[in-house]
Amino acid sequence: MIRPLIILTSIVFISGCSENNQKETLLSNSIPDQESWNSTILMTREGKKRAVIRSGHLSNYESKAKDEKREFNKLISTLKRTNAPPIEKEEAIEELRGKYSDYFGEVDLRIASLKELSEIQKTANSKFKKIINTSILDEKVDADFYSTEERHMSNLKSEMAYVYGDTKKDSMLAIGNVVVVSDSGVTLFTDSLMWNSIDSLITTDDTVMFITENNDTLKGVGFQSNADLTHYKFYDASGVTDRTYE
């Protein structure tokens, strides 16, 4: 993955991505490590352009997430050490409760087994990795999607998006007034939508309104399609048409 310093009117190259399609809160209370305005992200796979994503503002929290990951693992390691002084373990527990309670839920750290602590550590490190490799776009997201032959397929607009990099597959989670217009003449409206570059699928569990090239309107909850909206399926659908059949 090529990750140059993000600068004003920058282009960021990403080759790799995330497997999670949940809406994320990524250190939103912190000042970003990097910010840029009027940015463009080029997402590629096997050297082929798969998406060009533009946004009025981009930020990431890579350094802060790496620092927090190191601190978290140090605290958990203290709890896992059988010879750690009790006062040191108590201080580690208080620190974890104060900053990282979301990572262990209702588990009582004072009596947690080594297996439970290892599971907590594994889950937390996975979340830290996601934050480290995520760019947050929070202004006028505008994305073009391309086929494996680099043929333009569709355009997406949304209020914000998370772009995930450096894991198993390139992907983007668009959120807020998401509109996809395909080159085939189809329009999709929804609240959130995940796209990935491996199979170029777009998916959502939210309510969807879908207007076909014949102006038929389909609605449903849960949707999956290729990026040009020519092969799609609803999980719970209904529809209307203005066409007259003889």
Side-chain angles (χ1 to χ4, degrees), residues 2-245:
I2 305 171
R3 302 186 64 186
L5 179 67
I6 300 175
I7 58 175
L8 188 64
T9 317
S10 61
I11 296 182
V12 184
F13 293 86
I14 298 179
S15 180
C17 205
S18 159
E19 69 287 351
N20 196 304
N21 65 350
Q22 297 178 348
K23 300 178 178 66
E24 302 291 340
T25 300
L26 304 176
L27 300 177
S28 59
N29 294 326
S30 302
I31 297 173
D33 294 314
Q34 296 181 344
E35 288 185 278
S36 66
W37 286 261
N38 299 319
S39 299
T40 300
I41 295 176
L42 173 63
M43 301 181 77
T44 66
R45 179 157 296 275
E46 298 179 350
K48 299 292 185 66
K49 176 173 62 178
R50 303 309 305 274
V52 177
I53 306 167
R54 297 166 291 276
S55 177
H57 179 254
L58 178 152
S59 60
N60 70 48
Y61 298 82
E62 179 178 353
S63 296
K64 289 182 174 61
K66 286 181 177 178
D67 290 343
E68 291 197 2
K69 179 182 177 181
R70 281 192 291 269
E71 181 182 34
F72 179 87
N73 283 310
K74 181 179 178 180
L75 294 170
I76 290 292
S77 295
T78 297
L79 299 186
K80 294 169 77 173
R81 276 170 38 216
T82 56
N83 62 344
I87 187 169
E88 190 175 336
K89 287 193 174 186
E90 189 62 32
E91 289 173 349
I93 290 171
E94 290 304 311
E95 186 93 14
L96 286 163
R97 283 176 171 172
K99 292 184 65 175
Y100 303 107
S101 59
D102 289 344
Y103 292 103
F104 56 85
E106 298 182 1
V107 175
D108 188 339
L109 296 177
R110 288 189 173 86
I111 59 174
S113 66
L114 285 175
K115 182 179 180 180
E116 286 177 310
L117 292 173
S118 294
E119 285 298 317
I120 290 170
Q121 193 170 23
K122 180 180 178 181
T123 300
N125 283 332
S126 177
K127 292 181 179 179
F128 282 125
K129 182 178 181 181
K130 184 190 302 296
I131 296 170
I132 289 167
N133 296 297
T134 297
S135 295
I136 304 172
L137 316 181
D138 57 11
E139 185 179 309
K140 295 181 180 178
V141 177
D142 187 335
D144 290 306
F145 299 130
Y146 296 84
S147 69
T148 54
E149 294 80 26
E150 298 188 307
R151 174 180 58 83
H152 188 272
M153 301 175 75
S154 58
N155 173 266
L156 174 148
K157 290 182 172 59
S158 66
E159 293 177 0
M160 69 172 299
Y162 296 116
V163 176
Y164 303 115
D166 196 33
T167 50
K168 294 181 180 178
K169 57 185 178 182
D170 301 335
S171 61
M172 179 184 77
L173 173 62
I175 300 172
N177 293 318
V178 180
V179 180
V180 181
V181 180
S182 76
D183 292 1
S184 61
V186 177
T187 305
L188 170 70
F189 301 88
T190 188
D191 290 327
S192 70
L193 183 145
M194 175 66 79
W195 168 86
N196 78 76
S197 70
I198 291 181
D199 46 24
S200 201
L201 283 180
I202 59 175
T203 59
T204 182
D205 294 326
D206 282 331
T207 300
V208 170
M209 184 170 73
F210 188 86
I211 302 176
T212 73
E213 63 273 22
N214 296 315
N215 287 322
D216 298 329
T217 299
L218 305 176
K219 296 181 180 180
V221 178
F223 178 83
Q224 177 179 298
S225 175
N226 58 344
D228 61 1
L229 304 179
T230 55
H231 296 87
Y232 53 86
K233 62 180 178 181
F234 289 86
Y235 298 106
D236 182 10
S238 61
V240 297
T241 180
D242 291 329
R243 287 184 286 169
T244 301
Y245 294 90

